[in-house]
Amino acid sequence: MWRDNLRGIYYIILKDVRTYYLKPPSISWGIIFPTAWILAFYLKNPVGFEELIPGLIAMTILFSTTAAEAVVINFELRLGSLERLLLAPISLSSVLLGKVLGGAIFGLIMATVTTIGSVVGLGLSPNVPYLTLIIIPSSLAFSSFGALLCVSVREVFEAQTLLNLPRFIMIFLCGVIRPVSAMPTILQYLAYTMPLTYTVNGLQHSFSTASSTMVLIDALVLMGFFITFILPAIKLLSKKFE
Amino acid sequence: MGEKVVIQASNLTKFYGEILAVDHISFEVKRGEVFGFLGPNGAGKTTTIRMLTGLSKPTEGKASVLGFDISSEIVEARRHIGIVPEISNLYDELSAIDNLLFMAQLYGVPRSKRRKRAEELLKIFGLYEWKNSFFRTFSRGMKRALTIAAALIHNPELLFLDEPTAGLDVVAARSLRNLISNLRQQGITIFLTTHYLEEADLLCDRVAILVKGKILKIDSPKALKELTNSCSLEDAFIKITGLSPTVMAIEKERRI
């Protein structure tokens, strides 16, 4: 049984990456949008572009992983293609895991492109194992976050609208543009309830000389977010088919 | 034809909130037969298929498919069943052959056999010429044919067909009926829902007449016609259900 589930997950990832992710709109949304935002903030306040790089990578992961979840889940729900997957001899959680991992892998690819571009362009020297330790759980956390919001609605436009609100709140509160420590105390508390804060923190540590413990804590918290999002997403999807 | 029971439903019931969609139905489907579920819109035909294939949980009652309990072993059962839903729901962005290969992958068809089986089905369904064309470019009849081909990719023992010819033109519908007859000759058990009473008369060994979630009668089309002293299954259906010919005419219009 577990072999069937693993096979199902693998082929769903391959199909989704091929069918949806590696298409110009997904790529541009995942890379161009965060870059444009960061450039806009830099032009408004042109000091230390290097300091914005962790935020840029974090935004790339956030936008690329969540961008196509509405398509791979809501569009397929509407067309009935998701139902077809659920009729295959694999569990419902494997179907959703396949969808989430597809998004996470796309996020990983986009983050790698942005990171290499920034490192080469600005001559930065990050700690690669630390970066990996943060980017992988971040991709999983944001992809499962996208899945959770998408399974709670039916239409693609509803999902996109629902996704936009937390995306923009996180951009402003999670240290992408302005350090969390510079914000009022209440907003700092709020920031630490959001996964993007740990991504930005972890990435900042990867570009500095922080200890491995700090990076490890960020990575563990992000894995915690992944589990916190994926479990209710599975439950919600299974409720749709009761 | 063997007498082994492949579907056994007992008091199967489904409520959607306050609405009773399927009302304590019990029936059996034997190996190798074409079993038709007939009824007007909203009779509970699709809901029954959804319960039998695990897409919807019964509120009450139980059922087994190929000996597997639908509540606890449905994933096991799915290895041996093919399902053609009412809507042709393959992937628009994939070609005909890629759609079949993806289904073969999901159903665990061995790698060495996937392409051969997919091409064989494309030939059987007359789609080989369009094997590299995207699903979205297909006509409704071609989409239907490919959806059935996809359901057969893993050589299922039992095939669920939900309104297989709905929305098809006369020629496509006739060609599809011939395909269904061929599948029956290959020994595949078929559970079919349809609005088309002529179609049921032609294809089914036995039919269940379903109205408002309840089964009113189960028998062969011939026996139902004899029972009601009717010359067609449609007449028999009207006499059994008490639905007026006007309602049936409206149903027919909706189908067209």
Side-chain angles (χ1 to χ4, degrees), chain B residues 138-177:
Chain B
F138 279 14
S139 70
R140 202 181 279 188
M142 289 162 83
K143 281 184 174 177
R144 206 76 197 122
L146 191 68
T147 307
I148 298 178
L152 294 170
I153 194 82
H154 57 298
N155 289 307
E157 295 170 47
L158 168 64
L159 185 65
F160 287 94
L161 290 166
D162 195 2
E163 303 284 355
T165 55
L168 297 187
D169 62 46
V170 179
V171 179
R174 175 180 285 189
S175 141
L176 212 52
R177 276 183 212 121

Side-chain angles (χ1 to χ4, degrees), chain A residues 26-239:
Chain A
S26 302
I27 295 171
S28 61
W29 181 252
I31 289 185
I32 296 172
F33 189 78
T35 308
W37 264 77
I38 289 293
L39 278 176
F41 282 106
Y42 175 70
L43 292 173
K44 195 177 170 215
N45 186 21
V47 281
F49 190 70
E50 295 83 358
E51 286 165 25
L52 292 173
I53 296 305
L56 172 64
I57 299 168
M59 268 173 71
T60 304
I61 303 171
L62 172 66
F63 278 87
S64 53
T65 51
T66 53
E69 290 296 339
V71 176
V72 301
I73 292 173
N74 299 90
F75 186 61
E76 287 201 357
L77 260 175
R78 182 144 190 79
L79 289 183
S81 328
L82 196 73
E83 246 183 50
R84 177 154 282 284
L85 294 180
L86 295 172
L87 289 169
I90 52 173
S91 66
L92 178 140
S93 40
S94 303
V95 170
L96 194 67
L97 212 54
K99 297 277 169 198
V100 166
L101 288 177
I105 289 169
F106 180 66
L108 202 64
I109 295 169
M110 293 294 104
T112 307
V113 171
T114 310
T115 307
I116 291 173
S118 312
V119 165
V120 171
L122 298 169
L124 305 172
S125 49
N127 183 319
V128 177
Y130 286 5
L131 272 180
T132 314
L133 206 59
I134 292 301
I135 291 175
I136 291 174
S138 297
S139 300
L140 288 170
F142 294 128
S143 190
S144 57
F145 172 69
L148 174 62
L149 294 191
C150 290
V151 293
S152 53
V153 293
R154 178 135 191 111
E155 302 292 337
V156 175
F157 76 88
E158 288 174 310
Q160 296 286 20
T161 312
L162 195 61
L163 280 165
N164 276 337
L165 184 69
R167 272 179 191 151
F168 289 109
I169 290 176
M170 283 198 268
I171 289 173
F172 288 105
L173 292 184
C174 298
V176 171
I177 300 147
R178 192 169 166 226
V180 173
S181 56
M183 289 191 292
T185 317
I186 184 81
L187 292 183
Q188 287 186 34
Y189 285 130
L190 198 58
Y192 283 105
T193 64
M194 297 176 190
L196 195 67
T197 305
Y198 300 91
T199 303
V200 177
N201 256 347
L203 291 170
Q204 280 167 346
H205 292 146
S206 310
F207 280 94
S208 67
T209 51
S211 74
S212 58
T213 315
M214 294 169 87
V215 178
L216 205 61
I217 289 169
D218 289 323
L220 284 174
V221 173
L222 286 163
M223 280 310 288
F225 274 111
F226 166 58
I227 293 162
T228 309
F229 295 140
I230 191 79
L231 293 179
I234 291 169
K235 188 112 185 136
L236 272 175
L237 185 63
S238 111
K239 258 187 124 42

